[in-house]
Amino acid sequence: MPDIGSTANPLRVAIIGAGPAGFYTISNFLKYKELTVEMDLYDRLPTPYGLVRAGVAPDHQKDKSVTRAYAKSAEQPNVRFYGNVEYGKHLQLADLQAHYHQVIFTNGAPTDRDLGIPGEDLQGSHSATDFVAWYNGHPDFADHQFDLSQESVAIVGVGNVAMDVARILCKSYAELAETDIADHALAALKNSQVKRVYLLGRRGPAQAAFTPPEIKEMGELAEAEVIVPVEEARVDAISQQYLDANPDKNVEKNIGFITDYSRRVITGKDKLLTLRFLVSPIEIIGEAGHVAALKLAKNAITATADGAIRPSATGEEEILEAGLVFRSVGYQGIPVSNVPFDAKKGTIRNIEGRVVDESGEAVTGLYTAGWIKRGPVGLIGHTKSDAMETIQHVVKDQASWWSPESPEEEAVSALLESRGVAFTDLGGWHRLDEKELSRGAERGRERVKVVDREEMMAASRGESH
Ligand code: NAP
């Protein structure tokens, strides 16, 4: 038998999840010119690009330009896209073992963390990630309802997702209409009554998780102005001491913007965005089953023995009226069928991308990259080096790859067809993409997304719906 990875016996890899981590897995593999690799890229949606399509905010089209590089990878003759195929449902681990030498899980962190406080299940309390998926036209979220008749909205957390949600709530119809925001979201936001948006950070300005371009943008909104209470904008002594010892340009820039906003005078724009610090929600208060307010505990900054900077309740409390609450405290990975999982971290159990069992032993043939490997942190670019680390291990492990019984290219398609799985391919994605772009062009918009799964599949088959 010729060596695996030779032209006569290509290395066959299944990649589960067609988001950034899936595409950086492909581009990193392509750097190994001496290896002949065949890569099958699976996604449970009929579309590729994961969070670049369903997570990156529609008014941040520049951040979506990475898809041009992804599209080039997808067009390589040794790469195939299987859309609308879900690992664990349509394909099991044993199926992959029968057709590939290895599998790389790049399926991301699809859900969110909760706050664990009373009232979280009230109507009007949502996860920010649901709202993001809804306004981005993810087919599984298109039917969600958000009560935008409320005037006051609280967003818990001060990361970049919280910034995205606040911006989308504060932008005007005209600003949103140019983007590829889902039609149903554009229509709902057109009638939005939201006037006040509160962003709630549990620690201080020096610990804000957003990045400088995102906080800068908040000060430049056409129809909303931003303020920060002066006393909450101050950097406390413990944080200052930490910063002096560990200078950080991004933190300094963040503090600069926050200080600027704390000095701004309200001019009376249509919407007011208030950025708060040192407050933790301890209860969501309801009225007739619907969110009415948040009970906030005020915090002071303390340092633990190991130097970690934590919020500590001062005992003072406050009621903040809000009819809609979004918790934006981070994404969360969920277990993947038949793959060791670290429930505490919400990641596949792994060491540098090699999947390991509880004893730390590598599990033959299983690898991971992206958020399901390292947790839901970091910008898109960070995933590139993360995927490279994994691929380096994959290549080193040559002696212990699986030995598939049916490595032929067509065997997987035949299996899916025999199971009645309606899958799509790259050509199908191109047809759907063209449909969305041409609908957008007709209406002077970036793109008009198809959000119904059946309609997406019909468009990918070239049928009009
Ligand atoms: P994140 O950056 O981890 O921010 C989570 C926020 O929630 C932090 O402010 C955190 O505060 C707070 N938090 C956590 N638990 C809390 C609790 N129990 N009570 C109150 N607050 C709590 O998460 P994310 O915003 O979901 O973003 C995920 C990743 O995607 C980040 O790396 C982000 O930069 C990236 N992203 C980037 C962009 C962009 O580039 N424009 C857009 C979206 C997302 P503590 O710090 O105190 O824990």
Side-chain angles (χ1 to χ4, degrees):
M1 180 71 122
D3 284 349
I4 304 169
S6 60
T7 28
N9 186 16
L11 168 64
R12 301 223 345 115
V13 184
I15 302 168
I16 309 296
F23 280 100
Y24 291 127
T25 294
I26 294 173
S27 58
N28 279 306
F29 252 128
L30 293 172
K31 290 180 185 158
Y32 287 84
K33 304 278 182 228
E34 69 283 10
L35 270 184
T36 303
V37 193
E38 283 175 0
M39 290 171 271
D40 289 355
L41 177 63
Y42 291 90
D43 205 285
R44 67 192 173 101
L45 292 183
T47 47
Y49 307 148
L51 276 186
V52 179
R53 179 177 163 101
V56 171
D59 61 335
H60 276 185
Q61 287 298 317
K62 255 203 214 152
D63 295 347
K64 297 190 188 228
S65 61
V66 286
T67 57
R68 286 204 281 271
Y70 300 169
K72 275 195 188 145
S73 292
E75 275 155 24
Q76 297 302 311
N78 53 339
V79 174
R80 281 184 311 173
F81 174 59
Y82 285 94
N84 212 33
V85 180
E86 188 169 338
Y87 171 77
K89 183 176 169 188
H90 303 122
L91 281 179
Q92 307 299 334
L93 190 59
D95 301 320
L96 298 179
Q97 267 171 319
H99 295 94
Y100 298 94
H101 294 98
Q102 56 189 245
V103 53
I104 304 182
F105 290 95
T106 55
N107 49 304
T111 181
D112 69 295
R113 292 211 295 264
D114 56 20
L115 292 166
I117 59 172
E120 225 169 330
D121 295 332
L122 287 165
Q123 268 179 48
S125 160
H126 305 274
S127 86
T129 56
D130 284 6
F131 187 61
V132 169
W134 172 77
Y135 66 59
N136 273 322
H138 189 301
D140 297 349
F141 296 82
D143 293 337
H144 281 224
Q145 302 282 331
F146 300 93
D147 180 7
L148 298 172
S149 70
Q150 299 295 329
E151 286 201 359
S152 290
V153 181
I155 303 167
V156 182
V158 286
N160 281 334
V161 170
M163 296 289 122
D164 286 346
V165 169
R167 234 181 28 257
I168 295 298
L169 288 170
C170 286
K171 279 206 164 174
S172 64
Y173 174 76
E175 285 170 307
L176 294 174
E178 294 170 354
T179 72
D180 67 353
I181 191 167
D183 259 1
H184 55 250
L186 185 62
L189 286 159
K190 189 177 184 185
N191 297 320
S192 163
Q193 299 301 310
V194 172
K195 297 279 178 238
R196 290 177 296 278
V197 176
Y198 299 91
L199 280 156
L200 307 175
R202 61 177 169 179
R203 298 189 287 163
Q207 291 82 36
F210 46 67
T211 39
E214 278 64 34
I215 186 65
K216 178 172 185 275
E217 212 178 340
M218 290 303 183
E220 299 164 348
L221 297 172
E223 293 191 356
E225 53 200 325
V226 57
I227 53 161
V228 185
V230 177
E231 63 286 2
E232 292 175 11
R234 279 191 210 108
V235 178
D236 63 283
I238 293 172
S239 302
Q240 190 57 56
Q241 205 178 358
Y242 180 87
L243 266 181
D244 292 342
N246 307 278
D248 182 322
K249 282 215 165 61
N250 279 345
V251 174
E252 276 169 31
K253 283 186 194 163
N254 280 350
I255 293 170
F257 289 117
I258 292 163
T259 309
D260 168 17
Y261 301 159
S262 74
R263 293 178 181 146
R264 288 198 180 179
V265 177
I266 298 174
T267 58
K269 283 188 186 174
D270 198 36
K271 293 173 184 159
L272 182 64
L273 181 67
T274 307
L275 180 53
R276 301 280 314 265
F277 291 102
L278 297 169
V279 285
S280 288
I282 49 173
E283 184 183 346
I284 304 179
I285 300 167
E287 242 174 55
H290 197 284
V291 171
L294 277 175
K295 188 186 276 183
L296 303 178
K298 297 208 181 188
N299 297 327
I301 290 293
T302 51
T304 59
D306 61 1
I309 295 184
R310 296 260 172 255
S312 295
T314 59
E316 208 184 322
E317 290 177 0
E318 166 191 346
I319 302 292
L320 176 73
E321 279 182 26
L324 194 56
V325 172
F326 292 107
R327 56 174 188 278
S328 184
V329 296
Y331 282 84
Q332 169 100 3
I334 54 171
V336 179
S337 173
N338 278 315
V339 180
F341 194 74
D342 183 332
K344 210 168 153 207
K345 291 188 188 157
T347 60
I348 289 178
R349 196 180 286 280
N350 76 95
I351 298 175
E352 295 181 353
R354 275 188 184 112
V355 177
V356 296
D357 61 19
E358 278 195 28
S359 67
E361 267 310 292
V363 182
T364 301
L366 302 190
Y367 298 89
T368 180
W371 277 6
I372 196 62
K373 165 190 174 185
R374 69 175 197 275
V377 282
L379 307 179
I380 294 169
H382 295 140
T383 299
K384 210 177 204 172
S385 47
D386 173 293
M388 190 53 184
E389 180 186 64
T390 299
I391 303 308
Q392 281 168 345
H393 288 308
V394 168
V395 173
K396 271 189 219 146
D397 291 350
Q398 183 144 10
S400 61
W401 293 336
W402 292 332
S403 309
E405 291 154 27
S406 316
E408 316 74 39
E409 241 184 71
E410 314 71 36
V412 176
S413 307
L415 176 73
L416 291 170
E417 274 159 17
S418 74
R419 288 182 182 168
V421 181
F423 60 93
T424 182
D425 59 11
L426 190 63
W429 158 239
H430 286 158
R431 285 184 283 277
L432 171 55
D433 188 34
E434 275 157 26
K435 175 168 180 162
E436 292 186 343
L437 290 172
S438 66
R439 290 198 329 179
E442 280 162 21
R443 292 169 44 191
R445 300 191 51 200
E446 186 75 33
R447 112 180 6 247
V448 173
K449 284 181 178 172
V450 180
V451 300
D452 174 79
R453 205 182 264 262
E454 288 306 313
E455 204 184 330
M456 290 168 99
M457 288 304 290
S460 69
R461 290 191 296 267
E463 299 161 11
S464 53
H465 201 71

